[in-house]
Amino acid sequence: MAERTIYIVSKNDVTVMRDYVNQRVNSKIIDDAKNGDAFSWENPHDLTLTFSGDRTALTFEDADGVLSDDPFANERLQDQRLTEQVKIDGKTYKPTDETVRWSGKGQVNVENEYEVTLFDDAGNEYRMVGVSITEGYSTSVVGVTFDGPFPPPGTSLHYIQGVSTYNGTGQTLAIPSDPVCFLAGTLIETPDGARAIETLKAGMRVLTLENGTQTIRWTGRNVVCGLGRLAPICIRAGALDNARDLYVSPNHRILLRSSFAELNFGQGEVLVPAKALVNGVSVLRVPMRRADYLHLMLDTHDLVFSEGIASESLFAGHVAAHALGHDAMAELDEIFPDLRHLSQVTSHMGLTARETQYLMHQACPDAVQAVRLGAGVTPR
């Protein structure tokens, strides 16, 4: 399974107002809706919703790239098990290894509880999704996310009786992938040699593992606070036979080769998130006040060589709009008109952070190697 992250606005940061009397509705409507269309039957009037506060990350295992409702087969959890502890509106949710719903520890998983269509003042439609966390038999909607970009800050969205729709059965949400980012200064291999990523532009060509040379279709740049969960991961020179330090975003995936991976996961080459390699010595988090991250997008999702190591380019399907921003998403939509309808296809199995750590503990360091240009590897 892969590991995915979605971002929510907590239910306490959603304000709901009755339009006709400008009266605030109890925020429990966000949670109550899991039992039916509370937007309609509790409040038979048009409603206005506003969203405030920081977004919270929910990280979980994912088998199919889709956030669904009730991911169980009888009593056993099949998908969407929470993998990172998270605190929402004062309550802490902790992951467990359990997959049986009524066991002693109880499973903890993320679900898609319902969807509601909302409209801004210009009539643009938004699909809001209620996201829940289930612990054993207890399910609570902890917040909301959106299918596509979040509304711009300060935007009011409206639930309009007779126009807005509600669905609480069988709904699914394609899970956006976290953009994979390189820190400014990272050297990327091109047909003319290694170049710093910030000097690469659309139209230039880079070396890739699967498709020889590919043309860069789009480059993006984000400067973010790197003191928290977005702190860069540094793979120190020599850690994976890289000649220089490699700095990437935490969920940026690196291609590793190992006989232990083939033994345990059926694939000799696997993609692993950089954050799962952190050991505090040769691979470590490097917090910084400002992290200058850059992205590369190609026509076909592939692996480029960063500091000589094979690692992911930005994937065009279901990119994380919350991270790229509205202007970048508008530019991407123009370049890739079918961006939101692409299905993710990768040539290598992706491991979760937990699976990666298991692999690293099972194998001695020499038994796990990065796939590296100049080490018997040539673009295919």
Side-chain angles (χ1 to χ4, degrees):
M1 287 191 185
E3 189 172 54
R4 302 283 191 184
T5 300
I6 62 171
Y7 295 81
I8 66 168
V9 176
S10 75
K11 63 184 178 185
N12 285 357
D13 287 330
V14 181
T15 301
V16 185
M17 303 289 291
R18 286 191 181 94
D19 283 0
Y20 82 110
V21 290
N22 197 32
Q23 179 182 18
R24 183 166 181 169
V25 178
N26 191 315
S27 63
K28 281 191 62 194
I29 187 174
I30 299 299
D31 191 19
D32 287 348
K34 71 175 181 287
N35 298 316
D37 187 0
F39 294 94
S40 292
W41 58 258
E42 282 193 5
N43 304 279
H45 307 281
D46 293 348
L47 304 173
T48 295
L49 292 80
T50 55
F51 310 87
S52 61
D54 295 330
R55 296 170 196 167
T56 300
L58 296 180
T59 301
F60 51 90
E61 290 182 345
D62 170 60
D64 57 8
V66 171
L67 183 70
S68 62
D69 185 21
D70 200 26
F72 292 90
N74 296 320
E75 77 280 8
R76 189 165 295 277
L77 179 67
Q78 300 293 302
D79 198 6
Q80 299 166 200
R81 184 173 61 85
L82 190 72
T83 57
E84 290 189 11
Q85 180 174 305
V86 62
K87 187 174 184 178
I88 306 172
D89 292 336
K91 181 174 180 178
T92 298
Y93 299 89
K94 297 180 179 180
T96 73
D97 292 326
E98 187 56 69
T99 59
V100 178
R101 197 166 193 175
W102 53 70
S103 65
K105 289 195 305 182
Q107 91 302 328
V108 182
N109 64 279
V110 181
E111 299 184 44
N112 177 339
E113 280 299 320
Y114 59 83
E115 63 181 48
V116 178
T117 56
L118 305 173
F119 300 89
D120 65 14
D121 292 334
N124 298 308
E125 181 177 318
Y126 287 80
R127 179 186 173 205
M128 186 182 80
V129 176
V131 179
S132 66
I133 293 181
T134 295
E135 301 173 291
Y137 279 119
S138 175
T139 297
S140 296
V141 177
V142 294
V144 299
T145 189
F146 288 86
D147 183 7
F150 276 70
T155 301
S156 293
L157 299 183
H158 307 284
Y159 180 92
I160 303 173
Q161 292 293 328
V163 178
S164 293
T165 60
Y166 173 94
N167 184 29
T169 304
Q171 68 283 351
T172 60
L173 171 71
I175 302 170
S177 302
D178 268 348
V180 294
C181 313
F182 302 95
L183 203 65
T186 300
L187 296 182
I188 305 295
E189 294 293 334
T190 78
D192 300 316
R195 295 190 55 164
I197 187 170
E198 61 269 26
T199 68
L200 298 177
K201 308 296 181 186
M204 293 182 176
R205 295 181 71 79
V206 293
L207 295 183
T208 69
L209 180 64
E210 297 296 325
N211 294 282
T213 61
Q214 281 206 60
T215 300
I216 300 170
R217 291 292 305 279
W218 180 83
T219 62
R221 193 166 192 165
N222 292 67
V223 179
V224 301
C225 176
L227 297 177
R229 62 177 301 275
L230 294 180
I233 305 299
C234 174
I235 301 174
R236 285 186 165 169
L240 294 175
D241 289 333
N242 44 315
R244 295 179 3 127
D245 291 349
L246 171 61
Y247 291 85
V248 294
S249 57
N251 285 301
H252 197 131
R253 297 197 295 181
I254 308 295
L255 186 62
L256 296 183
R257 176 184 294 143
S258 169
S259 59
F260 285 84
E262 187 164 13
L263 178 65
N264 287 280
F265 303 106
Q267 297 285 336
E269 292 182 351
V270 290
L271 287 166
V272 303
K275 66 184 181 183
L277 301 175
V278 170
N279 57 24
V281 181
S282 59
V283 183
L284 61 160
R285 289 183 178 272
V286 183
M288 55 184 64
R289 184 173 294 277
R290 291 167 61 86
D292 189 359
Y293 282 134
L294 293 102
H295 327 275
L296 291 177
M297 184 175 286
L298 312 173
D299 277 317
T300 302
H301 177 253
D302 210 329
L303 301 168
V304 298
F305 293 96
S306 53
E307 305 297 352
I309 297 174
S311 58
E312 281 193 295
S313 63
L314 181 63
F315 175 59
H318 310 310
V319 293
H322 68 272
L324 294 185
H326 292 276
D327 291 342
M329 286 303 301
E331 183 179 346
L332 275 173
D333 282 339
E334 185 174 350
I335 298 171
F336 298 94
D338 296 325
L339 180 67
R340 301 186 192 283
H341 306 291
L342 297 178
S343 297
Q344 183 163 21
V345 176
T346 59
S347 59
H348 294 85
M349 173 183 289
L351 300 187
T352 65
R354 184 170 300 196
E355 289 169 338
T356 303
Q357 290 159 0
Y358 173 80
L359 172 64
M360 301 302 288
H361 288 149
Q362 289 292 308
C364 64
D366 291 340
V368 179
Q369 300 174 330
V371 175
R372 198 167 56 83
L373 188 67
V377 174
T378 56
R380 302 196 244 282

